[in-house]
Amino acid sequence: MASCGNGKEEKVVVAKAETSVTGNKAGRQFAFYKDINVKPGLNFEVVSWGKGVDSIGGYLILMSDSVKNKYNSFSSERKGIITDAWNMDMDNDGNPEIYIELLSKKNVLDLNVYEYTGGDFRKISFPPLSSNMKKNYVGNDKFLIKDGNLFRSFPVVNPKDTTIKAGDVKMLVYQLSGNSFNVNEVKQEK
């Protein structure tokens, strides 16, 4: 090819196409997308959208059961940025529960939980922190799944309480029974 030219080098510029779901912000159609495979043929896709302010918008849960040839969807408004989504069956009733983790303030996480049962989505209320817990709460929480249990940890701060030391962390464990959550504090050794 070098012998077939006029001696001048030509510079060819090829534009790179953005094809990623999480591409640049201007070209991105959905702010969040996750495909959750529950079992072969049964998938839930969680999609978040919104224009302008990142913390408000909507989300959609799409259910596709290709084995039974059934498809369903659920949409809701959101206040917060979706950071993760996953499936658990914490009450062991055989119905998938979709957990949607939202960053509702700069450092505060919350969960929206939906059980898919009888061909429909049913919201399960996730309990807020107790008034006693809120006294020492400053955000920066993390949700963790371990051995089939859902845990929430957050650093505690209360300048008026001398029993709280810098670096202390509260750990809560959530159990689901009868479509309601029970919350217990995990006592940590010091």
Side-chain angles (χ1 to χ4, degrees):
M1 296 208 21
S3 65
C4 296
N6 58 6
K8 295 180 184 177
E9 289 184 31
E10 291 184 29
K11 191 173 189 177
V12 178
V13 178
V14 178
K16 185 177 176 183
E18 293 288 331
T19 57
S20 171
V21 172
T22 59
N24 65 24
K25 199 169 189 174
R28 189 168 63 182
Q29 185 174 7
F30 300 114
F32 178 87
Y33 171 84
K34 188 165 185 182
D35 185 1
I36 302 166
N37 184 330
V38 175
K39 61 183 179 183
L42 180 60
N43 286 58
F44 290 86
E45 294 172 273
V46 179
V47 177
S48 172
W49 70 90
K51 300 282 185 189
V53 179
D54 288 339
S55 62
I56 57 173
Y59 60 88
L60 181 65
I61 305 172
L62 303 166
M63 185 282 303
S64 59
D65 187 341
S66 59
V67 173
K68 296 179 181 176
N69 202 25
K70 292 186 178 183
Y71 305 91
N72 204 343
S73 64
F74 174 82
S75 66
S76 183
E77 293 181 9
R78 66 176 167 82
K79 291 184 181 173
I81 299 168
I82 297 180
T83 56
D84 201 0
W86 64 87
N87 167 59
M88 287 179 72
D89 183 12
M90 283 182 65
D91 57 1
N92 295 313
D93 64 358
N95 298 319
E97 295 138 12
I98 305 302
Y99 291 74
I100 300 173
E101 182 182 86
L102 292 150
L103 184 64
S104 60
K105 295 180 183 166
K106 288 184 181 183
N107 65 342
V108 176
L109 289 178
D110 195 11
L111 284 181
N112 287 347
V113 183
Y114 298 91
E115 182 177 43
Y116 188 75
T117 180
D120 221 354
F121 290 92
R122 184 174 55 217
K123 184 172 175 104
I124 301 174
S125 295
F126 190 74
L129 293 174
S130 68
S131 58
N132 192 33
M133 290 282 176
K134 285 182 184 177
K135 291 176 186 175
N136 303 322
Y137 178 78
V138 292
N140 297 319
D141 24 11
K142 294 177 185 166
F143 288 102
L144 168 74
I145 301 164
K146 184 177 177 185
D147 300 326
N149 292 313
L150 177 64
F151 293 89
R152 181 185 201 173
S153 68
F154 56 90
V156 292
V157 177
N158 189 340
K160 296 176 186 175
D161 188 344
T162 58
T163 63
I164 296 176
K165 298 177 188 92
D168 281 356
V169 174
K170 288 275 186 195
M171 179 77 74
L172 305 175
V173 62
Y174 295 84
Q175 281 104 22
L176 184 61
S177 176
N179 290 321
S180 64
F181 283 96
N182 297 315
V183 185
N184 293 300
E185 184 177 350
V186 177
K187 300 294 181 190
Q188 298 181 7
E189 296 178 22
K190 294 189 179 193

